[in-house]
Amino acid sequence: MRSPAPPYGIDASRSFGSRRTGTEQYATALTRELIALAPGHCRLYFRRPPTEPPPPGAVLRILPAPRLWTHLRLGPELALRPPGLVFIPAHVMPLVCRPPAVVTVHDLGYEHLPWAHPWRSRAYLRWSTARHVRLAARLVADSEATRMDLIQRYGAEPDKVRPVLLAPGPGLAPPDPAARAEARAALGLPPATPYLLHVGTLQPRKNLPRLLEAFSLLASAWPELRLVLAGMPGWGRENLAGRMARLGIADRVLVPGFMEPHLMAGLYGEALALVMPSLYEGFGLPVVEAMACGVPVVCSRTSSLPEAAGGAALLVDPSDSSDIAAAVARLLQSPELRADLVARGLRRAAELSWRSSARQVLEVFEEVLGE
C-alpha cells in the first residue's frame, strides 16, 4: 500500500535559488519556516535541483521541463499524486489543479501603473489574478493594501484573502565592522565616504528618475555624498546613465548590480539612509531589511509602504523630487532624528518574523483542509 501524501504541497520553483529578488526571498524564507513548523508534512516541487539545499524534513520532487513547467509538469504531478492542498507562493496555479490551492498575490502594480509593464505581462497578470480570485481556496496578500486591491479591483471575497506581512531575513542585523568593510570593498568606496542607498530591481515603478533628481538637489550641500542603486536591471529601465549625466551626478552614483546576500547587512549598515520613493509596492521588503540593520528609512507614503514602515520612517510624496530631497536633508542635518528613526526601526523590524508569517499561513492551510 502506498503511504499517504504529505498534506502540504509547495510550488518551490522560485525557492532556494542563487539570485533572489523580493519574490524569491519570500518564497524561500516562508518555505523554510513552513518545513520547520510542519516537518514531514511538506512536499516541495522544483523545476530543477535547488542551488541551496532546503532544510531537512521535506519531500523533494524534481520535475524537469524546458517550458510551461507549471501547466505541463506540476499540474499532472498534482493530479497523479495529490497532496491535501498546494501552496503557490510566487507563481501561478496550473491550468488543471486537482487539490485546493492557496496562492500568494504579491502586488497589483500592473493595475496601478499599467505604463510600467509590457502589455503582454499586463494581460497575463490580469488573467492569472482573476483566475486565482475565482478558483483558489484562499489568497495570501503581502499587505492589507494588497488585500484591499484584490477586494476592490477583482471582487475577491474578503474572508478568502489573508494579509500576511513579510519580514527581514535572519542574517540581517546591525553589522560588525568586518561586514561593513567587506560591503564597502565590494562597492569600491573608501571608509569615510557617506552614501545613500536604494535596494531593488531597477524598473520604472521604483521611481529612480525622481530619486536621481532629489539626489542632485542635495549634491552641492554634501559634496562627499554618494548614491548607491543596488539591484538587477529590470524591464523598462530608463537610460539612467544619460539622466545622471544631464544632472551632473554621473560620478557620484554607483550602480553595482546584484549584491550577494552575505554582503547585504554590511551594505545596509554602512548607509546613511535607505531611500525608497517607489510609486507602488506590494510590501517593500528593503524597508524592514534596512530597519533590521539599524538604518533610518525614507520611503513613499503610497500603497503598502506606510504599512511596512509601521510609523518608523520618514514618508514622502514620490511625485515630488524636492519633497524627497527635503526629507533626506532633514535626516542628514539632525543626528537626533537619525537616532530616533534607527531606534523605532529596530523595534519595527523586531515585530516581524518569517516564523510568525509561516504560522499565519499554516492557519490558512488548516482552514482549507478543515473545509
Side-chain angles (χ1 to χ4, degrees), residues 55-131:
V59 176
L60 273 59
R61 292 283 293 152
I62 313 299
L63 309 170
R67 59 182 61 87
L68 297 176
W69 176 84
T70 300
H71 307 303
L72 299 183
R73 289 305 310 270
L74 179 60
E77 172 69 18
L78 294 175
L80 186 63
R81 286 173 281 271
L85 61 79
V86 61
F87 178 45
I88 314 289
H91 212 197
V92 297
M93 290 172 57
L95 287 173
V96 177
C97 190
R98 180 176 174 184
V102 177
V103 182
T104 296
V105 177
H106 292 284
D107 67 73
L108 271 66
Y110 59 92
E111 296 285 9
H112 290 268
L113 306 171
W115 55 267
H117 297 75
W119 72 267
R120 290 180 186 274
S121 176
R122 292 198 309 271
Y124 183 72
L125 289 167
R126 284 172 177 154
W127 169 80
S128 61
T129 302
R131 185 167 174 269

Side-chain angles (χ1 to χ4, degrees), residues 12-353:
S13 59
R14 295 182 68 178
S15 304
F16 302 102
S18 55
R19 292 201 165 192
R20 302 170 192 162
T21 63
T23 301
E24 287 83 14
Q25 290 182 55
Y26 170 93
T28 301
L30 196 55
T31 300
R32 183 182 290 116
E33 294 299 332
L34 289 171
I35 295 170
L37 290 172
H41 287 74
C42 296
R43 173 179 287 175
L44 276 54
Y45 305 99
F46 291 92
R47 181 174 182 171
R48 58 183 62 88
T51 55
E52 175 191 323
V59 176
L60 273 59
R61 292 283 293 152
I62 313 299
L63 309 170
R67 59 182 61 87
L68 297 176
W69 176 84
T70 300
H71 307 303
L72 299 183
R73 289 305 310 270
L74 179 60
E77 172 69 18
L78 294 175
L80 186 63
R81 286 173 281 271
L85 61 79
V86 61
F87 178 45
I88 314 289
H91 212 197
V92 297
M93 290 172 57
L95 287 173
V96 177
C97 190
R98 180 176 174 184
V102 177
V103 182
T104 296
V105 177
H106 292 284
D107 67 73
L108 271 66
Y110 59 92
E111 296 285 9
H112 290 268
L113 306 171
W115 55 267
H117 297 75
W119 72 267
R120 290 180 186 274
S121 176
R122 292 198 309 271
Y124 183 72
L125 289 167
R126 284 172 177 154
W127 169 80
S128 61
T129 302
R131 185 167 174 269
H132 293 155
V133 168
R134 187 174 71 255
L135 298 179
R138 290 290 189 282
L139 299 173
V140 174
D142 284 1
S143 61
E144 180 62 25
T146 299
R147 175 179 178 269
M148 292 308 300
D149 272 352
L150 286 165
I151 294 169
Q152 293 169 358
R153 291 176 176 264
Y154 283 84
E157 296 177 22
D159 291 345
K160 280 185 60 174
V161 191
R162 185 72 53 85
V164 177
L165 300 186
L166 282 60
L172 292 174
D176 59 27
R180 293 172 180 267
E182 186 179 9
R184 278 194 175 271
L187 293 174
L189 278 178
T193 303
Y195 66 86
L196 303 172
L197 177 64
H198 178 276
V199 174
T201 302
L202 307 183
Q203 58 181 320
R205 75 175 182 180
K206 300 299 182 180
N207 203 23
L208 297 177
R210 288 197 183 94
L211 176 56
L212 293 174
E213 290 171 7
F215 181 72
S216 72
L217 297 175
L218 301 166
S220 60
W222 285 275
E224 299 299 318
L225 189 63
R226 300 291 185 269
L227 173 64
V228 176
L229 307 178
M232 294 186 289
W235 176 89
R237 180 167 58 111
E238 294 189 40
N239 181 7
L240 297 180
R243 187 174 289 268
M244 293 174 207
R246 290 193 296 272
L247 293 169
I249 56 173
D251 60 341
R252 296 178 58 177
V253 181
L254 287 75
V255 188
F258 176 81
M259 299 291 287
E260 295 294 337
H262 74 277
L263 295 171
M264 291 307 298
L267 181 71
Y268 280 121
E270 277 291 89
L272 290 178
L274 176 82
V275 187
M276 194 168 179
S278 300
L279 298 172
Y280 177 89
E281 294 286 343
F283 180 77
L285 191 55
V287 166
V288 296
E289 291 181 339
M291 290 177 176
C293 295
V295 177
V297 172
V298 177
C299 67
S300 300
R301 60 170 58 100
T302 59
S303 60
S304 64
L305 287 168
E307 191 178 342
L314 292 183
L315 303 181
V316 298
D317 178 359
S319 68
D320 188 344
S321 302
S322 61
D323 191 40
I324 300 167
V328 175
R330 283 180 59 202
L331 196 61
L332 297 177
Q333 292 166 341
S334 175
E336 294 80 12
L337 175 60
R338 176 180 170 83
D340 177 57
L341 287 173
V342 168
R344 283 193 279 156
L346 287 169
R347 288 195 294 271
R348 173 55 174 162
E351 294 170 355
L352 304 169
S353 75

